[in-house]
């Protein structure tokens, strides 16, 4: 499905009926990464999964992106669908976007799932790495970004044994436009510190982290779970950064039991 939101075409999945659940994807992936969760959860819930601007089938305008803009795109999509409140799950960049969304639209958030993400901003070194990656994307293309990102997104075991999954994650990266990659890198590099926001999060929250997550390790998940009042923490064994794809059943079960508790 496509909707004109904030001047661009935003692609999204809208499947199932019931309490709306919004799924926000990682960098540099697309809403396709939520396929196992869309299939399972849409039996009981209305699942909305957008492609962020710059990714999947959404437009990828050549300009500076911000996470506030991503959050505004999500809010605009929900307005378009006449959804006032939902449960939101974001993985990594999707989680960064949820912090921006919560700052602006806390009343719309019935529950939060922060998966394989972190509240801290980039370090100086991290920002320099984003700049270098944008230059690589520009000079060498998305294939070079796949080479850099695959060992970050998937655990060593998955890289060696799950060839279909590796191919799927690689293809999503290779299909991403350079404007989207560079725009999102700028957005992530400039994201503010959300650690002080954690104590103000007042809705039920589930934090999920893959045990083997390199970019946002379990310590980042623990920090969020300790500071968000009443938050639950689920560490998924034998899962890397894209924990929802490496251990889809366990991830989905964690979501399902959180949704039931609301
Ligand atoms: C992601 O999975 O969204 C990225 O790894 C996040 C990041 O680069 O900080």
């Amino acid at each position: 499905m496509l909707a004109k939101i904030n001047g661009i075409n935003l692609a999204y999945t809208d499947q199932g009926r019931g309490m709306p659940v919004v799924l926000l994807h990682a960098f540099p992936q697309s809403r396709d990464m939520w396929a196992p969760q869309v299939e399972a959860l849409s039996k009981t819930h209305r699942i909305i999964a957008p492609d962020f601007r710059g990714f999947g089938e959404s437009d990828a305008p050549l300009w500076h992106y911000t996470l506030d803009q991503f959050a505004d795109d999500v809010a605009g999509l929900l307005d378009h669908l006449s959804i006032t409140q939902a449960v939101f799950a974001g993985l990594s960049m999707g989680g960064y976007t949820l912090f921006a969304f919560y700052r602006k639209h806390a009343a719309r958030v019935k529950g939060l799932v922060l998966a394989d993400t972190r509240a801290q901003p980039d370090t100086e070194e991290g920002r320099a790495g984003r700049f270098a990656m944008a230059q690589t994307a520009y000079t060498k293309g998305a294939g070079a970004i796949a080479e850099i990102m695959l060992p970050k997104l998937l655990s060593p075991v998955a890289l060696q044994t799950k060839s279909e999954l590796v191919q799927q994650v690689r293809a999503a990266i290779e299909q991403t436009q350079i404007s989207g990659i560079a725009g999102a890198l700028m957005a992530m590099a400039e994201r503010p510190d959300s650690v002080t926001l954690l104590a103000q999060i007042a809705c039920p929250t589930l934090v999920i982290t893959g045990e083997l997550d390199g970019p946002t390790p379990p310590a980042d998940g623990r920090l969020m779970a300790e500071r968000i009042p009443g938050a639950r923490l689920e560490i998924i064994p034998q899962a890397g950064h894209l924990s929802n794809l490496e251990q889809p059943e366990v991830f989905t079960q964690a979501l399902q039991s959180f949704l039931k508790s609301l």
Side-chain angles (χ1 to χ4, degrees):
M1 308 262 240
L2 276 183
K4 194 92 175 170
I5 307 290
N6 298 328
I8 63 153
N9 289 306
L10 210 69
Y12 65 98
T13 295
D14 180 357
Q15 195 171 311
R17 284 162 165 245
M19 186 205 295
V21 179
V22 178
L23 303 177
L24 301 179
H25 66 79
F27 168 90
Q29 292 291 294
S30 74
R31 70 193 200 276
D32 287 351
M33 70 168 247
W34 292 116
Q37 286 72 41
V38 171
E39 197 197 329
L41 300 177
S42 63
K43 292 178 183 136
T44 49
H45 291 78
R46 181 176 180 188
I47 309 300
I48 311 293
D51 283 334
F52 285 122
R53 61 173 61 215
F55 297 89
E57 296 173 303
S58 288
D59 286 350
L62 177 61
W63 202 242
H64 178 248
Y65 299 180
T66 66
L67 293 175
D68 277 346
Q69 197 178 32
F70 281 10
D72 287 343
D73 290 344
V74 173
L77 177 62
L78 295 185
D79 291 344
H80 173 78
L81 299 172
S82 303
I83 294 172
T84 47
Q85 226 196 12
V87 179
F88 293 79
L91 195 143
S92 201
M93 182 175 76
Y96 304 158
T97 303
L98 284 182
F99 291 129
F101 190 89
Y102 195 85
R103 277 191 190 89
K104 288 174 157 240
H105 309 287
R108 300 186 84 154
V109 183
K110 193 173 167 58
L112 263 187
V113 181
L114 298 165
D116 300 283
T117 193
R118 59 149 50 105
Q120 307 91 308
D122 278 2
T123 59
E124 272 312 313
E125 193 189 350
R127 266 183 221 116
R130 304 258 191 226
F131 178 77
M133 195 184 293
Q135 305 319 303
T136 302
Y138 184 58
T139 54
K140 299 192 176 144
I145 301 305
E147 292 308 319
I148 299 169
M149 287 305 297
L150 275 169
K152 295 180 194 281
L153 297 176
L154 298 173
S155 66
V157 176
L159 283 171
Q160 273 169 20
T161 61
K162 298 189 177 175
S163 57
E164 224 173 274
L165 176 60
V166 174
Q167 189 39 40
Q168 174 195 331
V169 173
R170 178 189 293 280
I173 301 173
E174 287 177 351
Q175 284 159 22
T176 305
Q177 295 190 48
I178 302 308
S179 51
I181 291 174
L185 285 166
M186 282 188 255
M188 291 191 287
E190 290 181 354
R191 75 186 190 282
D193 189 340
S194 293
V195 175
T196 50
L197 176 72
L198 298 175
Q200 295 161 36
I201 294 181
C203 63
T205 301
L206 170 66
V207 177
I208 301 179
T209 308
E211 180 191 22
L212 307 173
D213 185 336
T216 51
D220 291 337
R222 271 188 214 107
L223 181 117
M224 292 187 290
E226 278 163 18
R227 304 229 179 162
I228 299 173
R232 278 167 48 192
L233 173 65
E234 183 103 13
I235 307 273
I236 301 196
Q238 293 168 41
H241 188 55
L242 295 181
S243 60
N244 75 304
L245 284 173
E246 285 201 28
Q247 298 297 341
E249 291 86 8
V250 184
F251 189 100
T252 301
Q253 271 167 22
L255 274 183
Q256 279 167 330
S257 89
F258 177 67
L259 290 169
K260 263 193 204 140
S261 74
L262 295 178

